Amino acid sequence: LHVYPADDAYVFALEEAEELDIAKKRRRQRRQTIELLRTFVAELALPVEPILRVERGEPWRWIVSTASRVGADLTVMGTLGRGGVEGMLIGNTAEKVLHSNEGSVLAVKPEGFVSPVRPARKAVTA
């Protein structure tokens, strides 16, 4: 499942500015995204045939509703974490999914992610 924001800035950022047909841009973006998902899944060589979906709206809502609809015990999601305290740790979308999902959530950070949170130092006593 890939969910992109409901505003069209996502579509406009990926398309040429001359084309004004928003519906056409959305259809093209959906096709391109599904192809990227197919490539990604093929490289994983999973022992199952996944169902690929691309939706438009609030990502956390689609993730929670899809997990509920399919009866998922575990939701695995990638997370970037761009803003706020929650964003630093697991990501804003992952935080919302964690608090709304009925099953367990495994949030995976991108390769090379380094937490900005430093471990507390122990006090030195003399």
Side-chain angles (χ1 to χ4, degrees), residues 20-78:
L20 297 176
D21 185 348
I22 294 172
K24 186 176 179 182
K25 285 183 175 192
R26 288 179 184 152
R27 286 190 301 273
R28 182 181 305 138
Q29 183 56 42
R30 180 177 295 271
R31 283 191 310 271
Q32 289 172 346
T33 302
I34 288 175
E35 283 307 310
L36 288 171
L37 284 172
R38 282 190 182 123
T39 301
F40 173 72
V41 169
E43 290 172 358
L44 295 175
L46 298 172
V48 296
E49 183 64 33
I51 298 169
L52 305 178
R53 290 188 61 182
V54 175
E55 300 295 346
R56 182 172 175 251
E58 288 187 74
W60 75 271
R61 289 186 191 277
W62 272 105
I63 293 166
V64 170
S65 67
T66 301
S68 176
R69 186 173 39 76
V70 301
D73 294 323
L74 174 66
T75 299
V76 180
M77 60 183 291

Side-chain angles (χ1 to χ4, degrees), residues 52-113:
L52 305 178
R53 290 188 61 182
V54 175
E55 300 295 346
R56 182 172 175 251
E58 288 187 74
W60 75 271
R61 289 186 191 277
W62 272 105
I63 293 166
V64 170
S65 67
T66 301
S68 176
R69 186 173 39 76
V70 301
D73 294 323
L74 174 66
T75 299
V76 180
M77 60 183 291
T79 178
L80 296 175
R82 293 190 183 114
V85 174
E86 294 90 354
M88 275 196 311
L89 302 176
I90 67 169
N92 296 321
T93 300
E95 184 77 16
K96 290 176 182 175
V97 170
L98 182 64
H99 291 297
S100 305
N101 204 43
E102 293 178 15
S104 298
V105 176
L106 173 61
V108 180
K109 287 291 194 184
E111 186 175 337
F113 174 80

